[in-house]
Protein backbone atom coordinates (compact mmCIF):
# COMPACT_ATOMS: atom_id res chain seq x y z
CA UNK A 1 0.00 0.00 0.00
CA UNK A 2 1.29 3.45 -0.83
CA UNK A 3 0.11 6.74 0.57
CA UNK A 4 -0.03 9.96 -1.38
CA UNK A 5 0.83 13.11 0.51
CA UNK A 6 -0.28 16.43 -0.91
CA UNK A 7 1.83 19.51 -0.50
CA UNK A 8 0.30 21.92 2.06
CA UNK A 9 -0.69 24.42 -0.64
CA UNK A 10 -2.20 21.79 -2.97
CA UNK A 11 -5.96 21.39 -2.98
CA UNK A 12 -7.52 18.13 -4.00
CA UNK A 13 -10.35 18.67 -6.48
CA UNK A 14 -12.94 15.93 -6.33
CA UNK A 15 -15.73 15.97 -8.88
CA UNK A 16 -19.09 14.33 -8.30
CA UNK A 17 -21.88 13.36 -10.71
CA UNK A 18 -25.01 15.54 -10.82
CA UNK A 19 -27.91 15.79 -13.22
CA UNK A 20 -30.63 18.26 -14.10
CA UNK A 21 -34.19 17.43 -15.12
CA UNK A 22 -35.57 20.23 -17.30
CA UNK A 23 -39.27 20.67 -18.04
CA UNK A 24 -41.65 23.41 -19.06
CA UNK A 25 -43.54 24.91 -21.96
CA UNK A 26 -40.50 25.00 -24.27
CA UNK A 27 -39.55 21.37 -23.44
CA UNK A 28 -42.05 18.88 -24.95
CA UNK A 29 -40.79 16.05 -22.71
CA UNK A 30 -38.64 16.25 -19.57
CA UNK A 31 -34.96 16.28 -20.53
CA UNK A 32 -32.03 15.03 -18.44
CA UNK A 33 -28.61 16.71 -18.50
CA UNK A 34 -25.74 14.91 -16.73
CA UNK A 35 -22.60 16.72 -15.59
CA UNK A 36 -19.73 16.33 -13.15
CA UNK A 37 -18.51 19.15 -10.93
CA UNK A 38 -16.88 19.90 -7.59
CA UNK A 39 -20.17 21.22 -6.21
CA UNK A 40 -23.81 21.63 -7.23
CA UNK A 41 -23.15 25.35 -7.85
CA UNK A 42 -22.06 24.43 -11.36
CA UNK A 43 -25.70 23.70 -12.28
CA UNK A 44 -26.32 27.39 -12.98
CA UNK A 45 -23.60 27.31 -15.64
CA UNK A 46 -25.07 24.17 -17.20
CA UNK A 47 -28.58 25.71 -17.35
CA UNK A 48 -27.59 29.29 -18.20
CA UNK A 49 -28.73 29.13 -21.85
CA UNK A 50 -32.18 27.73 -21.10
CA UNK A 51 -35.23 29.84 -21.90
CA UNK A 52 -37.25 31.88 -19.43
CA UNK A 53 -39.90 29.80 -17.66
CA UNK A 54 -37.93 26.56 -17.70
CA UNK A 55 -38.33 24.41 -14.59
CA UNK A 56 -35.17 22.66 -13.36
CA UNK A 57 -34.57 20.02 -10.72
CA UNK A 58 -31.00 19.49 -9.54
CA UNK A 59 -30.10 15.96 -8.42
CA UNK A 60 -27.04 14.30 -6.91
CA UNK A 61 -27.68 10.62 -7.46
CA UNK A 62 -31.14 9.85 -6.04
CA UNK A 63 -31.17 12.99 -3.84
CA UNK A 64 -33.11 16.04 -4.99
CA UNK A 65 -30.98 19.09 -4.08
CA UNK A 66 -32.97 21.98 -5.56
CA UNK A 67 -35.98 22.96 -7.63
CA UNK A 68 -35.93 26.23 -9.51
CA UNK A 69 -37.56 28.17 -12.33
CA UNK A 70 -35.78 30.62 -14.61
CA UNK A 71 -37.40 34.06 -14.64
CA UNK A 72 -36.78 37.32 -16.45
CA UNK A 73 -33.25 38.68 -16.76
CA UNK A 74 -31.71 35.27 -15.96
CA UNK A 75 -32.97 35.36 -12.36
CA UNK A 76 -33.62 31.93 -10.86
CA UNK A 77 -36.50 31.47 -8.41
CA UNK A 78 -35.73 28.71 -5.90
CA UNK A 79 -38.68 26.51 -5.00
CA UNK A 80 -39.11 24.56 -1.76
CA UNK A 81 -37.78 21.03 -1.46
CA UNK A 82 -39.70 19.26 1.26
CA UNK A 83 -40.38 15.57 1.91
CA UNK A 84 -43.91 16.08 0.57
CA UNK A 85 -42.80 17.31 -2.84
CA UNK A 86 -39.64 15.31 -3.40
CA UNK A 87 -39.70 13.16 -6.49
CA UNK A 88 -38.42 9.62 -6.08
CA UNK A 89 -36.38 8.46 -9.02
CA UNK A 90 -35.11 4.95 -9.52
CA UNK A 91 -31.63 4.42 -10.97
CA UNK A 92 -31.74 4.79 -14.74
CA UNK A 93 -35.24 6.31 -14.72
CA UNK A 94 -35.46 9.66 -16.49
CA UNK A 95 -39.21 10.11 -15.93
CA UNK A 96 -40.48 12.48 -13.28
CA UNK A 97 -43.61 13.95 -11.82
CA UNK A 98 -43.93 17.40 -10.35
Amino acid sequence: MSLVTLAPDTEEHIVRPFHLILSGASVPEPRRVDFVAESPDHASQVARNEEEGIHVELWEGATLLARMTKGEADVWQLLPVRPGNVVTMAAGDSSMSI
Side-chain angles (χ1 to χ4, degrees):
M1 178 192 298
S2 64
L3 298 174
V4 176
T5 304
L6 298 175
D9 60 346
T10 304
E11 291 184 28
E12 185 176 348
H13 298 280
I14 298 173
V15 294
R16 304 182 329 246
F18 298 94
H19 67 273
L20 301 174
I21 301 292
L22 299 106
S23 63
S26 64
V27 181
E29 293 186 26
R31 179 169 43 108
R32 179 179 170 140
V33 177
D34 293 288
F35 65 98
V36 293
E38 292 178 29
S39 73
D41 299 342
H42 190 69
S44 62
Q45 292 298 314
V46 174
R48 73 179 175 270
N49 293 326
E50 297 298 331
E51 294 183 19
E52 180 181 318
I54 191 84
H55 176 78
V56 177
E57 290 186 345
L58 171 61
W59 293 81
E60 182 175 12
T63 303
L64 178 61
L65 301 178
R67 296 174 62 233
M68 53 198 163
T69 301
K70 189 172 185 179
E72 295 179 18
D74 294 333
V75 174
W76 288 92
Q77 176 187 10
L78 293 175
L79 304 170
V81 176
R82 299 182 305 269
N85 67 7
V86 171
V87 178
T88 302
M89 182 177 293
D93 182 9
S94 62
S95 63
M96 63 173 233
S97 60
I98 300 174

